[in-house]
Amino acid sequence: MSAKAGYFRNYLHCDLTAGSCERLPLAEEIIEKYIGGRGFGAKMIWENLKAHDFKIDPLGPENLLVVAPGPLTGVYLPSSGKASFVSISPATGLYGDSSMGGSFGVELRQAGMDFLSITGAAPEMSILFIDDDEAAQIIPMPQLRGKSCLETEGIIKKHLNCHDVHVASIGIGGEHLVRFACVNCDWSRNAGRTGIGAIMGSKNLKAIVVRGETDLPVADMEGLMRETDQAVRYMREHKFFNMWQQQGLMNVIEYANTQGILPTFNFKATTFPAHDKINGEVMFDEYKIGDSACFACPMSCGNICLVKNGKYAGTVTEGPEYESCAMLGSNLGIDKFDAILEANRLCDEYGIDTISTGGIIGAVIEGYESGVISLEDLDGQEISWNHDEAVIALIGKIARREGIGGTLADGAKAIISRWPEMDKLLLQVKGLEQSAYDSRVGASMGLAYATSDIGAHHTRAWTIAKEIEEGANWTPKQKVELVIYHQTLRPLFDMLGVCRLPWIELGLNERHYERFFSYVTGRETTLEELLALSNVVYSLTRRINVHLGASRKDDSLPYKVRNVPILTGPNAGKTLDIKEFEELLSLYYEERGWDENGVPPAEMEAMF
């Protein structure tokens, strides 16, 4: 059954080299098979790779960037503000995507399209202006070079004499092709991982600017409103709802520290002695001045924080969230919340990913401490644990590619190439620096990092809480099945254009989403049918990576995870059980129908 609503059945394709933008029809088959969001992006990347014989420089003009909300983005249901940015990653050389919240994806849909695709490179720094259903324009704005993300947004609104636009922009990190540069919108909502900002920088595209007023097509508004009211009522009555509005993801600091999975001193330890100086309670009591939320989100998990005194007085930012606080705080030994806020603000302004930045700087500190990196390598500037001034200076050097920052800006692979011993200190998978959960505690989380199509990122599958809860009672098959389920349901949320937090944090039943989809599109479906489509997309991204050279050797875990015991806390002495991990990996391939080397059958490509 085809969708009656939910789609505009067209997309905007922009060739920056040719200076052209045109609306193209979107085939019904693509709508039915790929749903939207990450699904549309993966399909378009696949077609572009085939057209170039799978030989693409991620920072070359031929690399395609797809920005895709989903059919549920922008409609009346919880947390429906997501859009996926999809391309070939300059950080890994493999498939890459990153999800952005806020309202940018909503505005893109309200401009009357299902997604945006961008190729080529503009001859000078430019913006792409999409004004509702009028012809899109590529506007040269060389005056934006060197501007921060927030400055860029203000200049563009003044130039267009319009504040009723949403701006997704890059900072100097993207301009300087930092391979973990991100795209920023709505002050501090970011497509943060896999280096999407560097791709925009390589295309001389400083910003995508959208103004839309088109009504979104919904098949059954009354049914949708009933379903949404039920879901929101459940969320508001949840025992943790108020805590989420007060602390957002910052409440995870205490959980991670208690469970012994909080990255500390570059993952040498997993409990931080000063955790009570950087947790959600400190943020709420001493720094928080307001809430923020993505489109239609009752959780309002964003925190607006202000430093009121001290050397960072006047720093104001939205954040940090758990990942940023952990990677820029405990992972670097920093016990000063005001310094974490300043580091977070700078990363947002420069447009670089806080997870990769914190992971790389942590490895640099340990590398200097252990003699792998010399004082000369550091341009004569010492750095150590809890040395916030040195950390903040190094963030700027990375964004500007100054001195050692030139190597660090190229990410994990380049760092290990220059200093091979850093492979023992820098936690990464496939070239993507690891998220802020230690996987030595649980083989399922290690499996999730290792088999993630984009590299070591927690949003693909977050199974560690379940593994801690189940302990030794959890069978290998159950671990593998949960990883695969997460890797299927979570991509489905990205395909639909919604946030995962109502499900993962408040336990909103995933069955709501089959009904949301049916009410919006008029296409009757079940969760199982939607998950089957999501599973095809995961196989598609795996086939993309296989064509780009990935195999079982890349589904591995960092040296430190495999060989270096945790120093402190309830999990002191633990390393990952390699034998168990390899058995889980083989079972994972078997469950997915891939061969022992992790390669899906070639005949599967007929499905794409």
Side-chain angles (χ1 to χ4, degrees):
M1 178 181 176
S2 297
K4 299 174 184 176
Y7 299 94
F8 293 100
R9 291 175 165 77
N10 76 80
Y11 67 99
L12 179 67
H13 180 67
C14 298
D15 185 332
L16 297 173
T17 301
S20 63
C21 298
E22 60 178 332
R23 299 256 180 166
L24 298 173
L26 181 59
E28 198 68 34
E29 180 186 12
I30 293 178
I31 291 172
E32 291 180 2
K33 289 176 64 174
Y34 296 97
I35 300 176
R38 189 198 298 188
F40 285 169
K43 170 63 172 175
M44 299 304 290
I45 296 303
W46 170 252
E47 295 299 330
N48 189 57
L49 282 169
K50 288 199 299 182
H52 289 90
D53 196 28
F54 296 96
K55 294 179 177 64
I56 278 186
D57 175 1
L59 295 177
E62 70 278 7
N63 193 13
L64 188 70
L65 171 61
V66 179
V67 185
L72 304 189
T73 303
V75 299
Y76 177 66
L77 57 91
S79 311
S80 58
K82 287 287 190 175
S84 292
F85 287 66
V86 189
S87 194
I88 298 301
S89 166
T92 67
L94 303 172
Y95 170 85
D97 67 47
S98 193
S99 177
M100 176 189 282
S103 295
F104 181 79
V106 178
E107 200 77 14
L108 197 62
R109 290 205 74 214
Q110 289 176 333
M113 71 183 74
D114 293 313
F115 66 87
L116 164 69
S117 66
I118 303 169
T119 191
E124 59 182 322
M125 191 63 70
S126 302
I127 68 169
L128 171 60
F129 181 35
I130 303 166
D131 192 2
D132 206 42
D133 57 358
E134 298 180 11
Q137 305 173 63
I138 301 166
I139 304 174
M141 290 191 69
Q143 66 269 34
L144 294 176
R145 185 172 294 279
K147 302 300 182 184
S148 71
C149 295
L150 199 57
E151 287 177 308
T152 294
E153 183 169 338
I155 293 169
I156 288 172
K157 288 179 175 178
K158 184 176 181 180
H159 178 82
L160 296 176
N161 193 27
C162 177
H163 288 268
D164 190 22
V165 295
H166 283 272
V167 180
S169 65
I170 60 171
I172 62 171
E175 291 180 19
H176 292 147
L177 307 185
V178 175
R179 290 179 185 264
F180 45 93
C182 54
V183 184
N184 180 281
C185 185
D186 295 338
W187 189 13
S188 62
R189 299 298 175 187
N190 291 286
R193 309 233 66 194
T194 73
I196 301 297
I199 293 168
M200 285 181 60
S202 72
K203 296 182 179 302
N204 265 334
L205 183 61
K206 182 70 173 180
I208 305 167
V209 186
V210 186
R211 175 171 57 190
E213 298 180 346
T214 303
D215 289 339
L216 303 185
V218 174
D220 183 352
M221 183 61 76
E222 289 186 7
L224 177 64
M225 292 179 70
R226 286 194 305 270
E227 191 71 28
T228 295
D229 288 347
Q230 179 185 350
V232 171
R233 189 178 309 112
Y234 165 84
M235 292 169 65
R236 292 187 65 84
E237 292 173 355
H238 195 280
K239 62 182 179 180
F240 293 137
F241 181 78
N242 289 336
M243 182 186 67
W244 272 94
Q245 288 202 324
Q246 290 177 354
Q247 297 188 19
L249 284 158
M250 278 296 294
N251 74 76
V252 182
I253 291 285
E254 281 304 309
Y255 170 81
N257 190 73
T258 300
Q259 299 298 332
I261 56 175
L262 179 68
T264 303
F265 304 121
N266 192 39
F267 289 88
K268 289 199 291 185
T270 57
T271 55
F272 187 43
H275 62 93
D276 56 348
K277 294 182 180 181
I278 65 167
N279 63 15
E281 290 184 9
V282 168
M283 178 205 68
F284 184 73
D285 291 340
E286 301 180 25
Y287 295 92
K288 184 170 179 175
I289 60 172
D291 295 312
S292 65
C294 297
F295 181 84
C297 182
M299 293 175 73
S300 301
C301 70
N303 303 298
I304 301 173
C305 291
L306 169 68
V307 179
K308 303 180 181 90
N309 48 57
K311 62 183 173 183
Y312 301 116
T315 291
V316 61
T317 188
E318 183 188 337
E321 296 183 0
Y322 167 73
E323 294 285 336
S324 300
C325 186
M327 297 307 292
L328 298 172
S330 58
N331 192 56
L332 307 183
I334 292 179
D335 61 8
K336 310 172 189 74
F337 198 78
D338 57 348
I340 295 170
L341 286 174
E342 175 65 4
N344 190 102
R345 182 191 71 82
L346 287 173
C347 286
D348 285 347
E349 288 292 284
Y350 293 145
I352 57 176
D353 175 33
T354 56
I355 297 175
S356 289
T357 300
I360 286 169
I361 294 178
V364 167
I365 295 173
E366 188 177 357
Y368 179 55
E369 181 183 64
S370 61
V372 174
I373 292 176
S374 69
L375 185 61
E376 182 181 1
D377 291 331
L378 287 169
D379 310 313
Q381 302 296 314
E382 290 192 333
I383 192 168
S384 58
W385 307 116
N386 206 18
H387 191 177
D388 51 300
E389 294 96 339
V391 166
I392 285 168
L394 191 52
I395 289 172
K397 294 181 84 167
I398 291 170
R400 293 186 291 270
R401 283 189 175 270
E402 294 176 351
I404 190 175
T407 299
L408 304 185
D410 279 331
K413 290 183 176 180
I415 294 168
I416 293 168
S417 177
R418 178 172 174 181
W419 301 286
E421 286 297 302
M422 288 292 283
D423 186 41
K424 295 180 179 179
L425 308 179
L426 181 54
L427 278 71
Q428 56 85 26
V429 174
K430 299 181 177 75
L432 187 72
E433 296 77 18
Q434 182 177 304
S435 295
Y437 299 96
D438 198 294
S439 62
R440 286 171 286 192
V441 176
S444 73
M445 196 66 208
L447 182 68
Y449 282 148
T451 59
S452 166
D453 50 358
I454 65 170
H457 191 39
H458 66 288
T459 63
R460 283 314 203 245
W462 190 77
T463 61
I464 195 161
K466 182 70 173 178
E467 184 149 10
I468 291 170
E469 175 188 330
E470 293 291 337
N473 297 322
W474 211 20
T475 68
K477 186 174 177 61
Q478 287 173 316
K479 293 177 184 181
V480 167
E481 286 177 346
L482 188 65
V483 169
I484 292 175
Y485 185 69
H486 274 231
Q487 290 177 343
T488 309
L489 181 61
R490 285 168 171 245
L492 176 61
F493 289 144
D494 286 345
M495 293 161 74
L496 294 172
V498 298
C499 180
R500 72 191 184 279
L501 289 183
W503 164 71
I504 192 67
E505 301 298 352
L506 297 184
L508 183 66
N509 193 298
E510 50 264 56
R511 291 286 171 186
H512 281 290
Y513 294 92
E514 68 182 13
R515 296 189 285 272
F516 288 147
F517 182 79
S518 295
Y519 286 133
V520 169
T521 65
R523 174 182 166 186
E524 291 296 327
T525 191
T526 65
L527 178 65
E528 288 73 19
E529 290 171 341
L530 294 173
L531 289 171
L533 294 175
S534 176
N535 196 44
V536 169
V537 171
Y538 213 83
S539 293
L540 169 58
T541 60
R542 182 69 178 193
R543 285 298 304 178
I544 287 173
N545 286 346
V546 166
H547 278 285
L548 295 174
S551 64
R552 184 173 185 134
K553 70 182 187 307
D554 301 288
D555 294 342
S556 60
L557 289 169
Y559 177 92
K560 184 173 284 190
V561 172
R562 293 180 282 112
N563 297 287
V564 181
I566 295 171
L567 289 180
T568 63
N571 301 306
K574 283 191 176 182
T575 57
L576 187 75
D577 185 328
I578 299 301
K579 183 174 183 294
E580 179 190 9
F581 171 76
E582 290 296 334
E583 289 173 353
L584 288 178
L585 185 58
S586 293
L587 181 57
Y588 173 92
Y589 292 158
E590 182 182 332
E591 290 289 315
R592 282 206 172 274
W594 302 350
D595 71 17
E596 185 62 20
N597 204 32
V599 178
E603 55 267 25
M604 184 178 282
E605 294 188 5
M607 301 168 57
F608 306 147

